[in-house]
Amino acid sequence: MTSPKSSLTEINFDGIVGPSHNYAGLSLGNIASANHKGNPSYPRAAALQGVAKMRGNLARLGVQGFLLPLPRPNAVLANALAFDGTEAPQLRAAPWSASSMWTANAATVSPAPDTQDGTCHLSPANLVTMLHRAQEWPDTRRMLETAFGDRDHFTVHGPVPPTFGDEGAANHMRLCEGHGSAGVEVFVYGRPGGAFPARQHEQASRLVARAHGLDPSSCVFIEQNPAAIEAGAFHNDVVSVANERVLFTHAEAFADQTGAYDAIRAAFPALEIVEVASADVSLAEAIRTYLFNAQLITQTDGSMALIVPEECRESVPVWAWCKRMMASNGPIREVIPVDVRQSMANGGGPACLRLRVVCDPVTVDPRFMLTEAKADVLERVISETWPEQIDPADLASETRSDTLAAQVIAARSALLAALDLGELN
Ligand code: SUG
């Protein structure tokens, strides 16, 4: 059953940064992750930065959801890896990864107006390319089945089978007249063969579109620019983002940029493109600052704003471009920097930290919806229980890792208890 269109709203479900957040440098092709490998991390500060971002968006949009950290260290993966002390320290770090914070990779979501059966479809991403991420989907699926358990309104699928790599909404964009009307879904995949893995496979994207019951004439499949992957755009959302009629993109995002625009326009004639030329912001600078890993939002007055990382304001070319854009008469009227530096150091900007779900908020399990009072609860539990600092060497140390594991497990349990979500323990 579909809800009346008027009640459909876009809700951002941000991943709460987990208590094991660390910099182990696990993501090949993710430049920030490689550059910060071995640095101490600050899980408490990281999680509080995330809550502050959510508070800002709750005030701006009137609605905000969240998803929870997954159980870490993951005993199932640790057992499967048969650690005996001879393994590389990096392998030892995989069961500790807090990477589920980047909920743009939790699932691909097709809202009810786009699907044949009129329910909102969610497919958890298998994330098979990276070991530390491939462990996420079983727990993510369980959480999605809880948050979106109303079967009259949601269909939660299993993941795409391996070997097709699926990275979820990070490689998926939706164009529409308004969030509650039928949209065109754009799937962006990479072709293997470059220096870095192409994490989203074409066959995975096509499979998700079929499983979700999308109208083939409202689907567009386009190839990521191999040069962008090589420059560090391991997900397409590092070089483009869409909202309603607008596609905000770097000029070198797609393998065939003009062909991509033509294909999207053929399916969605109202398309408005805001393109950033390489001469204004190079691909390298775009990836360093995460200008495109922004939340492009429609504010309550109908105007669009871009929520960017603070790093954008500190970049001379990026901020100059943003200022020019704001002074022009384009569709994006405001640029709002937010501090998510702890996540950024692992390659996760404002857009990575959220999963967009268009639905009627009353159909979501209310335990996953944020209120100001609940943000207070999150901040209290995080401040009281999240580790202040993690040195990646602790994860491989026999003595220190036991103490840290106990703290991480207790912190997550405290959060689940405070949110009445103990069933996810
Ligand atoms: O998968 N980083 C994540 C960042 C994900 C960003 N998400 C989007 N672009 N939507 C990744 O590469 C770093 C983990 C480490 O280095 O230990 C990491 O997994």
Side-chain angles (χ1 to χ4, degrees), residues 184-205:
V184 164
E185 300 198 14
V186 179
F187 295 82
V188 188
Y189 59 87
R191 273 199 208 290
F196 295 142
R199 292 166 61 166
Q200 181 70 38
H201 297 182
E202 180 181 359
Q203 290 310 321
S205 299

Side-chain angles (χ1 to χ4, degrees), residues 83-372:
F83 296 139
D84 66 359
T86 60
E87 64 282 342
Q90 231 167 313
L91 202 57
R92 199 104 183 176
W96 287 88
S97 178
S99 52
S100 66
M101 73 175 82
W102 299 297
T103 50
N105 305 114
T108 307
V109 183
S110 296
D114 299 358
T115 69
Q116 214 163 34
D117 68 2
T119 68
C120 173
H121 286 244
L122 299 98
S123 285
N126 64 25
L127 297 162
V128 291
T129 305
M130 299 287 164
L131 172 70
H132 69 287
R133 304 224 56 183
Q135 65 182 319
E136 291 174 34
W137 73 259
D139 292 310
T140 298
R141 179 184 187 174
R142 202 151 69 93
M143 184 159 44
L144 296 176
E145 282 169 350
T146 305
F148 306 106
D150 174 345
R151 292 189 179 199
D152 285 340
H153 296 93
F154 298 101
T155 304
V156 178
H157 295 264
V160 168
T163 59
F164 303 134
D166 180 22
E167 301 276 323
N171 283 67
H172 175 257
M173 301 185 285
R174 180 168 186 262
L175 293 150
C176 53
E177 294 288 349
H179 293 134
S181 34
V184 164
E185 300 198 14
V186 179
F187 295 82
V188 188
Y189 59 87
R191 273 199 208 290
F196 295 142
R199 292 166 61 166
Q200 181 70 38
H201 297 182
E202 180 181 359
Q203 290 310 321
S205 299
R206 291 192 182 272
L207 197 162
V208 168
R210 290 196 298 277
H212 289 192
L214 302 180
D215 176 351
S217 67
S218 297
C219 293
V220 184
F221 298 89
I222 52 185
E223 189 193 339
Q224 235 188 312
N225 182 0
I229 299 178
E230 196 116 357
F234 53 94
H235 290 136
N236 178 66
D237 69 1
V238 174
V239 283
S240 30
V241 60
N243 181 53
E244 295 185 330
R245 295 161 170 230
V246 176
L247 170 64
F248 175 53
T249 182
H250 192 270
E252 295 178 65
F254 309 118
D256 171 3
Q257 197 81 12
T258 316
Y261 295 161
D262 290 346
I264 300 172
R265 199 174 273 118
F268 186 74
L271 178 68
E272 280 182 58
I273 298 169
V274 179
E275 185 191 85
V276 179
S278 307
D280 290 331
V281 178
S282 67
L283 198 50
E285 189 65 357
I287 291 169
R288 194 186 67 76
T289 58
Y290 266 40
L291 169 61
F292 297 93
N293 199 261
Q295 289 184 254
L296 182 55
I297 57 167
T298 308
Q299 311 206 78
T300 42
D301 66 359
S303 70
M304 281 196 203
L306 199 59
I307 298 172
V308 299
E310 274 290 355
E311 284 79 349
C312 290
R313 181 155 49 187
E314 291 158 6
S315 159
V316 173
V318 169
W319 200 242
W321 189 90
C322 289
K323 281 182 150 155
R324 279 203 303 283
M325 179 190 67
M326 284 188 276
S328 75
N329 212 16
I332 307 172
R333 293 304 168 86
E334 206 182 336
V335 180
I336 303 165
V338 291
D339 177 2
V340 287
R341 287 181 203 276
Q342 281 288 305
S343 167
M344 282 286 285
N346 247 341
C352 298
L353 284 162
R354 61 90 177 93
L355 181 69
R356 300 156 105 175
V357 180
V358 171
C359 64
D360 182 342
V362 303
T363 60
V364 178
D365 184 323
R367 293 174 296 178
F368 294 87
M369 298 301 295
L370 194 72
T371 57
E372 284 295 340

